[in-house]
């Protein structure tokens, strides 16, 4: 092989290099290899800068090209999806949906050290006849409006940040007894006749098996009473008052949906007012099917029990006759969408409504409170003296209207004044994600949800903790 290298003449101001190689196939193989190595070494030594520059340029060019190819479709697709989403649903619907998506952050794995003041709760492992047997016998047990007793139990079981399996380390003790699963009898009339005996049996069980109930007479123990009049265990108010709270529960802490602003025997116990239970999955489905344009074409909505003459059961008028007044006064008013028959998909009507009427039934509270708030319909509270859950985070006066029972006949005027003045402000307040999230129960628990706020309320009652009192006395 022979090699000739010479500098080429200038061509329009550019300088080039001409390399001529001739290969001689005669001779031995070893001589050829030596010649090849010599040529490669000579060429690289004199022109390595050009070679490095060439490969560096090629690398930069191809990486830019490939980067543009890989990122562009994703980016444009993301923009397209965003535009389509904004056309399909309103921003408030998106905010509401985000609260109940399964992909939401699981707060139980992100609870700050020392959260809830380091509170620890021990959950009694009761025989299945007190809880899981009820759920197994009826799907409704874990999904109806009284199912907070089930959801709170399940959320606490998965709340590693506050749960302890060592009772000696516990501040509070939770008794998971489901008394609302068998709330309604075959004739549809509510009955809680089994509740007191079932709870008494559970207390006897833990008092026999463990020393913790007897040492405080149950003052650091927690129950859930998620039905009409809480721990009074009766749907009729006068009968509930007559029976009162069972003596063995009067020292304990009750988580109950019932609450009023005035003195009442059925809340004459240490308690926390909690929201009624609505399955988050049902609300998610409703939001997924919400009108594409986000319009609310129903002005005032109510679906539920309304009688021309309210049911008279043992001298009791259902809802104190308020619903009957609404029916008689506004049934012919086109602005009021009133329906008496049950409809499984009635949440689809709530998401289309501006105002949602929430009149009292047997008790002041209603599951419509939760459904209305989460689905963006302004709740119209018609229940004198009602006390609502978590007022520190849910600013009820800013997201709802309150109408006195005696003024229910003036509903159209009241709603009309709000619609003409500050409706947009109320609706804006209603779209606060923290407000919506506080009324929902999740398993596992999530930061800011109903169980989270229950734990915050319990952490303010740590003066009842036997363990802490013993530590402070040492």
């Amino acid at each position: 092989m022979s090699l000739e290298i010479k500098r080429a003449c200038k061509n329009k101001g550019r300088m080039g290099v001409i390399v001529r190689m001739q290969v001689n196939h005669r001779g031995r193989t070893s001589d050829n290899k030596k010649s090849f190595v010599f040529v490669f070494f000579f060429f690289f030594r004199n022109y390595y800068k050009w070679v490095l520059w060439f490969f560096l340029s090629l690398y930069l060019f191809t990486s830019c090209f490939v980067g543009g190819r890989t990122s562009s479709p994703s980016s444009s697709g993301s923009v397209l999806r965003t535009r389509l989403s904004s056309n399909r649903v309103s921003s408030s619907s998106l905010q509401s949906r985000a609260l109940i998506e399964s992909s939401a952050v699981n707060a139980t794995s992100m609870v700050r050290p020392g959260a809830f003041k380091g509170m620890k709760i021990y959950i009694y492992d009761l025989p299945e006849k007190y809880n899981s047997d009820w759920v197994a016998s009826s799907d409704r047990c874990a999904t109806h409006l009284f199912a907070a007793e089930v959801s709170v139990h399940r959320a606490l079981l998965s709340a590693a940040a506050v749960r302890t399996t060592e009772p000696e380390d516990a501040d509070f003790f939770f008794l998971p007894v489901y008394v609302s699963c068998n709330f309604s009898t075959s004739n549809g009339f509510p009955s809680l006749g089994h509740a007191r005996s079932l709870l008494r049996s559970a207390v006897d069980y833990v008092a026999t098996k463990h020393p913790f109930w007897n040492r405080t007479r149950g003052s650091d123990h927690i129950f859930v009473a998620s039905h009409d009049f809480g721990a009074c265990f009766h749907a009729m108010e006068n009968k509930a008052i007559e029976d009162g709270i069972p003596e063995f529960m009067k020292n304990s802490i009750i988580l109950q949906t019932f609450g009023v602003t005035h003195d009442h025997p059925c809340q004459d116990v240490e308690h926390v007012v909690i929201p009624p239970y609505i399955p988050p999955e049902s609300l998610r489905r409703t939001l997924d099917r919400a009108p594409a344009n986000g319009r609310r074409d129903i002005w005032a909505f109510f679906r539920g029990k309304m009688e021309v003459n309210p049911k008279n059961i043992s001298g009791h008028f259902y809802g104190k006759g308020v619903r009957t007044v609404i029916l008689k006064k506004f049934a012919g008013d086109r602005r009021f969408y009133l329906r008496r028959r049950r409809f499984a998909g009635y949440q689809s009507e709530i998401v289309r409504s501006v105002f949602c009427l929430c009149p009292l039934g047997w008790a002041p509270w209603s599951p419509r409170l939760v459904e209305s708030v989460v689905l963006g319909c302004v709740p119209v509270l018609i229940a004198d003296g009602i006390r609502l859950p978590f007022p520190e985070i849910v600013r009820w006066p800013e997201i709802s209207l309150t109408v006195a029972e005696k003024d229910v006949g003036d509903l159209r005027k009241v709603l009309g004044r709000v619609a003409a003045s500050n409706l947009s402000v109320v609706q804006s307040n209603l779209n606060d994600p923290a407000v919506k999230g506080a009324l929902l129960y999740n398993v596992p628990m999530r930061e800011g949800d109903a169980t989270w706020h229950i734990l915050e309320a319990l952490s303010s009652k740590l003066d009842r903790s036997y363990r802490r009192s013993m530590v402070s006395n040492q």
Side-chain angles (χ1 to χ4, degrees):
M1 175 184 288
S2 62
L3 177 67
E4 179 182 357
I5 302 176
K6 64 181 181 180
R7 194 176 300 277
C9 60
K10 294 182 179 180
N11 181 14
K12 295 182 180 181
R14 292 178 294 179
M15 184 68 72
V17 176
I18 299 175
V19 180
R20 292 178 181 173
M21 290 184 290
Q22 293 179 346
V23 180
N24 184 356
H25 294 286
R26 296 187 301 270
R28 294 176 301 180
T29 303
S30 60
D31 292 334
N32 291 339
K33 291 181 178 179
K34 291 179 181 179
S35 299
F36 177 79
V37 171
F38 173 77
V39 170
F40 179 81
F41 175 76
F42 179 85
F43 183 82
F44 186 81
R45 185 186 67 179
N46 289 276
Y47 299 98
Y48 72 92
K49 292 182 179 179
W50 293 85
V51 174
L52 292 176
W53 179 86
F54 172 78
F55 281 106
L56 179 62
S57 299
L58 182 64
Y59 170 77
L60 293 174
F61 174 76
T62 55
S63 54
C64 289
F65 181 74
V66 173
R69 286 286 301 273
T70 55
S71 62
S72 179
S74 174
S75 176
S76 61
S78 175
V79 171
L80 179 60
R81 284 191 297 271
T82 301
R83 287 174 180 171
L84 290 175
S85 297
S86 64
N87 288 335
R88 280 200 307 266
V89 293
S90 65
S91 60
S92 61
S93 295
L94 289 172
Q95 290 173 345
S96 300
R97 189 175 304 166
L99 297 168
I100 49 181
E101 286 297 322
S102 58
S103 59
V105 176
N106 179 1
T108 57
S109 62
M110 300 182 64
V111 176
R112 302 178 307 276
F116 311 116
K117 302 178 183 178
M119 177 180 64
K120 294 294 180 182
I121 298 177
Y122 179 78
I123 304 170
Y124 283 114
D125 185 16
L126 298 178
E128 293 180 351
K129 68 177 182 178
Y130 293 106
N131 41 60
S132 57
D133 279 354
W134 291 100
V135 178
S137 65
S138 171
D139 294 337
R140 181 175 175 270
C141 178
T143 58
H144 62 22
L145 70 161
F146 309 111
E149 61 185 6
V150 180
S151 187
V152 170
H153 180 205
R154 291 175 174 176
L156 291 180
L157 285 173
S158 63
V162 296
R163 184 189 177 191
T164 179
T165 56
E166 299 295 333
E168 292 79 7
D169 298 333
D171 295 299
F172 294 116
F173 298 81
F174 183 79
L175 282 91
V177 185
Y178 303 167
V179 300
S180 294
C181 285
N182 193 27
F183 188 78
S184 294
T185 58
S186 57
N187 63 8
F189 189 69
S191 173
L192 279 169
H194 64 288
R196 294 170 186 266
S197 59
L198 190 67
L199 285 160
R200 176 76 261 184
S201 173
V203 168
D204 290 343
Y205 178 86
V206 300
T208 302
K209 297 285 186 180
H210 304 279
F212 312 110
W213 175 275
N214 292 326
R215 72 185 183 184
T216 65
R217 294 174 55 236
S219 66
D220 52 0
H221 284 58
I222 301 167
F223 297 88
V224 179
S226 53
H227 31 75
D228 289 89
F229 291 98
C232 284
F233 302 114
H234 204 284
M236 302 297 146
E237 186 171 15
N238 68 331
K239 182 62 176 173
I241 293 173
E242 179 184 332
D243 292 344
I245 297 171
E247 199 66 33
F248 62 88
M249 294 178 66
K250 287 186 176 180
N251 291 325
S252 301
I253 301 172
I254 313 296
L255 310 180
Q256 59 183 41
T257 43
F258 171 72
V260 288
T261 56
H262 51 272
D263 292 338
H264 196 288
C266 296
Q267 65 178 12
D268 190 17
V269 63
E270 192 69 28
H271 65 282
V272 177
V273 177
I274 64 175
Y277 180 81
I278 298 295
E281 299 80 11
S282 69
L283 297 167
R284 182 191 303 120
R285 288 192 297 269
T286 299
L287 289 168
D288 286 340
R289 300 167 184 168
N293 56 15
R295 289 181 61 247
R296 295 184 178 269
D297 56 332
I298 298 174
W299 193 66
F301 169 75
F302 178 81
R303 181 183 286 276
K305 185 182 295 183
M306 293 183 292
E307 305 298 333
V308 176
N309 295 297
K311 288 184 178 180
N312 188 324
I313 302 174
S314 301
H316 299 89
F317 287 90
Y318 184 74
K320 298 182 180 179
V322 166
R323 299 188 185 193
T324 299
V325 174
I326 294 174
L327 178 64
K328 290 183 175 180
K329 182 81 174 181
F330 303 108
D333 192 323
R334 289 183 298 176
R335 305 201 75 183
F336 283 77
Y337 185 92
L338 307 176
R339 298 293 185 272
R340 297 165 59 189
R341 293 186 179 180
R342 296 187 179 212
F343 168 45
Y346 76 99
Q347 287 181 358
S348 63
E349 298 168 324
I350 294 177
V351 81
R352 293 168 47 203
S353 302
V354 177
F355 298 104
C356 287
L357 309 185
C358 302
L360 74 164
W362 291 118
W365 61 273
S366 163
R368 295 173 183 83
L369 294 171
V370 174
E371 292 168 314
S372 301
V373 171
V374 176
L375 297 178
C377 182
V378 178
V380 181
L381 309 176
I382 312 170
D384 293 353
I386 186 172
R387 187 155 61 93
L388 299 163
F390 313 142
E392 297 81 9
I393 185 65
V394 183
R395 304 176 303 277
W396 291 102
E398 299 177 16
I399 66 168
S400 64
L401 306 180
T402 299
V403 177
E405 295 169 16
K406 65 180 179 62
D407 296 330
V408 69
D410 295 326
L411 264 177
R412 175 162 182 159
K413 293 180 181 178
V414 174
L415 301 185
R417 284 195 295 267
V418 173
S421 56
N422 63 335
L423 177 60
S424 60
V425 175
V426 176
Q427 290 177 323
S428 177
N429 295 335
L430 191 59
N431 285 328
D432 184 349
V435 169
K436 297 174 183 290
L439 301 179
L440 295 176
Y441 295 91
N442 299 290
V443 180
M445 177 185 72
R446 297 177 188 167
E447 181 173 357
D449 74 358
T451 307
W452 181 282
H453 288 294
I454 288 172
L455 291 175
E456 286 195 330
L458 291 174
S459 70
S460 68
K461 303 178 186 298
L462 282 169
D463 58 322
R464 288 173 161 257
S465 169
Y466 177 85
R467 181 181 70 87
R468 298 201 181 204
S469 65
M470 293 301 293
V471 171
S472 63
N473 290 334
Q474 289 177 355

